[in-house]
Amino acid sequence: MRNFFSPKYIYILFSIFCSLSANAQCAMCRAALAGDSNIKKAEAVNDGIVFLMIIPYLLVAIIGFLIYKMYRSKKKNAV
């Protein structure tokens, strides 16, 4: 029972029960994309978000691959 009251578990419970709702767009984007006549503009915004998210995913993948290679070469040299 002592481990249940550790700060890690208290933080997890607090995060689950006290979550706040967030809006996905800023007020200016929502006003610009509101309505059915702006379908092309909404698609362009969504494509821009996808393109912006490519760089962080690539960076994480490259760093992960380099760490994997480093550990693999260390293990190979140790044998």
Side-chain angles (χ1 to χ4, degrees):
M1 201 65 181
R2 192 173 126 210
N3 291 337
F4 181 73
F5 292 108
S6 70
K8 180 172 77 171
Y9 291 119
I10 292 173
Y11 176 73
I12 291 171
L13 287 173
F14 183 77
S15 297
I16 290 171
F17 293 117
C18 297
S19 63
L20 299 174
S21 64
N23 292 326
Q25 298 172 339
C26 67
M28 293 299 291
C29 295
R30 180 174 289 164
L33 300 176
D36 294 332
S37 63
N38 293 327
I39 294 172
K40 293 255 188 212
K41 196 182 285 188
E43 289 175 358
V45 169
N46 289 338
D47 290 342
I49 291 169
V50 171
F51 288 135
L52 287 173
M53 286 305 298
I54 288 173
I55 299 299
Y57 282 116
L58 281 176
L59 288 175
V60 169
I62 290 169
I63 291 170
F65 179 73
L66 292 175
I67 290 172
Y68 169 74
K69 270 183 77 172
M70 182 181 65
Y71 280 121
R72 190 170 150 207
S73 68
K74 282 185 180 181
K75 187 186 261 188
K76 193 177 195 181
N77 290 338
V79 172

